Amino acid sequence: MTSTKYKRILLKLSGEALAGPSGYNIDPAVLEQYSKEIKQVVDLGVQVAIVIGGGNIFRGVSGERSGIDRVQGDYMGMLATVINAMAIQSSLEKHGMYTRVMSAIKMEQVCEPYVRRRAVRHLEKGRVVIFGAGTGSPYFTTDTTASLRAIEVEADVVLKGTKVDGVYTADPMKDKTATRYTTISFEDVYEKKLNVMDLTAFTLCQENNLPIIVFNMNEAGSLLRVIQGDSDTGTLVTSN
Ligand code: UDP
């Protein structure tokens, strides 16, 4: 068995990424690609927990603009994450992995309620655990859910799978001279106002010494390289 740097990971995927180029709904090609990437690390014995966003279906903030009360919209957003969690679940199962969806809002007909000890047990048994419904509370994000659940289940790292290769000195789309950080401290991210996660999510990681790696989930093999500790893939945010 190839050795891996991390034994238990929390993978955060955005809802928008699931949508593929169209920007909405769920793109089966993206699901397929993600499942293959995740299988590579599950096959190495890495314990995988996933938090998925809901931005491809609904965001509380955008609901507010169309006259939906913020809290109501946030609950709609949380339900959207469960739809995405179920889509990922069925794709992972098609690829031969064992999975559980655990929701922060009870919906027993479709998935288990979130119970920390049970989540840990599932992970120990090699099941991929997908956390749905965010934190279960409005005014939070799925990035915050990722930090919180990672701390709760004692994951070694939060892996933020995005469309970019990592954290850059400036926006690489706008500034051609921008370079990628290989590693950066929490303090520097904060001082330079770099965009890694929202502040609540970020602070939770910092206060609990939980490293974050930002990497490009759309690049084949990058999840595996990150797990193996390849310093050329993504950006590692740590305390030192
Ligand atoms: N949400 C919430 N509480 C949570 C997590 C999510 O209210 O703990 C709602 C919020 O309205 C958010 C939506 O669910 O806009 C979808 O999550 P998010 O925007 O984080 O998804 P992503 O941007 O990752 O697709």
Side-chain angles (χ1 to χ4, degrees):
M1 188 194 275
T2 323
S3 75
T4 56
K5 183 171 177 190
Y6 304 105
K7 303 286 176 237
R8 180 177 293 168
I9 62 163
L10 187 308
L11 176 64
K12 163 72 206 309
L13 300 171
S14 81
E16 245 169 75
L18 262 199
S22 73
Y24 64 93
N25 223 317
I26 299 167
D27 183 341
V30 177
L31 275 183
E32 180 75 15
Q33 192 237 329
Y34 282 7
S35 299
K36 285 185 184 154
E37 301 293 315
I38 293 164
K39 185 160 173 44
Q40 287 185 337
V41 302
V42 169
D43 284 349
L44 289 178
V46 176
Q47 297 178 11
V48 179
I50 300 174
V51 167
I52 175 81
N56 54 324
I57 303 173
F58 200 84
R59 275 211 177 91
V61 180
S62 7
E64 229 177 357
R65 286 196 285 272
S66 46
I68 295 173
D69 169 78
R70 170 66 195 266
V71 174
Q72 179 87 340
D74 278 345
Y75 278 110
M76 290 166 73
M78 286 185 260
L79 297 182
T81 71
V82 180
I83 294 178
N84 286 336
M86 290 171 74
I88 292 183
Q89 173 174 47
S90 81
S91 180
L92 294 180
E93 285 183 342
K94 213 174 76 191
H95 286 81
M97 285 164 270
Y98 295 97
T99 67
R100 290 289 188 276
V101 172
M102 301 190 103
S103 170
I105 296 172
K106 269 196 195 171
M107 42 183 97
E108 282 156 25
Q109 283 78 3
V110 291
C111 56
E112 292 183 15
Y114 170 66
V115 176
R116 187 188 71 89
R117 284 170 184 276
R118 285 177 71 180
V120 171
R121 193 77 191 108
H122 288 320
L123 290 168
E124 285 167 354
K125 287 185 174 171
R127 296 172 184 143
V128 178
V129 178
I130 308 151
F131 296 117
T135 59
S137 298
Y139 294 100
F140 288 99
T141 62
T142 48
D143 274 1
T144 299
T145 311
S147 307
L148 178 65
R149 294 289 184 252
I151 294 161
E152 286 184 272
V153 304
E154 297 178 352
D156 303 320
V157 64
V158 174
L159 303 180
K160 183 163 162 150
T162 65
K163 309 182 271 204
V164 286
D165 298 336
V167 183
Y168 279 76
T169 48
D171 184 349
M173 304 287 185
K174 293 179 193 152
D175 184 349
K176 293 282 165 251
T177 64
T179 52
R180 178 175 56 86
Y181 292 100
T182 318
T183 60
I184 185 167
S185 66
F186 283 103
E187 286 80 5
D188 282 352
V189 168
Y190 185 76
E191 269 166 30
K192 295 179 200 295
K193 295 189 167 42
L194 299 169
N195 188 18
V196 171
M197 281 179 161
D198 65 77
L199 221 50
T200 314
F202 183 79
T203 310
L204 262 178
C205 289
Q206 182 176 22
E207 286 181 349
N208 290 279
N209 264 323
L210 178 67
I212 307 166
I213 299 178
V214 181
F215 74 105
N216 189 346
M217 185 67 190
N218 298 333
E219 196 186 288
S222 61
L223 176 63
L224 180 64
R225 288 197 296 279
V226 165
I227 299 290
Q228 290 172 332
D230 175 14
S231 57
D232 263 350
T233 308
T235 298
L236 170 67
V237 185
T238 52
S239 304
N240 35 51

